[in-house]
Amino acid sequence: MSNQPTIPFSTTLHVRDTCLCLHAQRAARALARRFDAAFKPLGLTNGQFSLMMALNRPDPPPMGPVAALLAMDRTTLTAALKPLTQRGWVAVVADEKDRRGKRLKLTEAGMAVLAEAVPIWRHEHEELEAGLSTDPQILRQGLIEVAR
């Protein structure tokens, strides 16, 4: 006889049907695939779009606030920036007030690709929201609350 604990299959079904983390992960993957496909003609991923939008500010932001907005650590942000800087879409520049700090700036080429991406994002977003059976604002608010 085995002393290994068992978990009833009914528990597996309950987790499958009720786990917010699982449903958020599945939704995030589906959304990522959808927006990756939409942005593919521009050579852009959904993550790169979000990162570049986070840089679209009147003044180039420091890395810390961008990482916080995107819920990633600085190491992950640095890795995500690499292909964007290699393509000439983002420049990492010295902070004029503190030379030890770095700021992130969209280049002209980066702004141009972002300007092409925004109408694609709007179209996909409108279609996505129109296909939801629930109020998109309620869904958005719930996700914001979870991310706090």
Side-chain angles (χ1 to χ4, degrees), residues 2-30:
S2 172
N3 288 335
Q4 180 147 354
T6 60
I7 300 168
F9 185 59
S10 61
T11 301
T12 301
L13 297 176
H14 177 72
V15 170
R16 178 200 66 191
D17 295 342
T18 62
C19 180
L20 291 174
C21 187
L22 172 63
H23 290 290
Q25 289 169 338
R26 292 182 72 210
R29 289 183 190 112

Side-chain angles (χ1 to χ4, degrees), residues 103-115:
R103 293 197 173 247
L104 307 173
K105 180 179 179 182
L106 284 173
T107 64
E108 283 186 37
M111 187 58 77
V113 76
L114 196 55

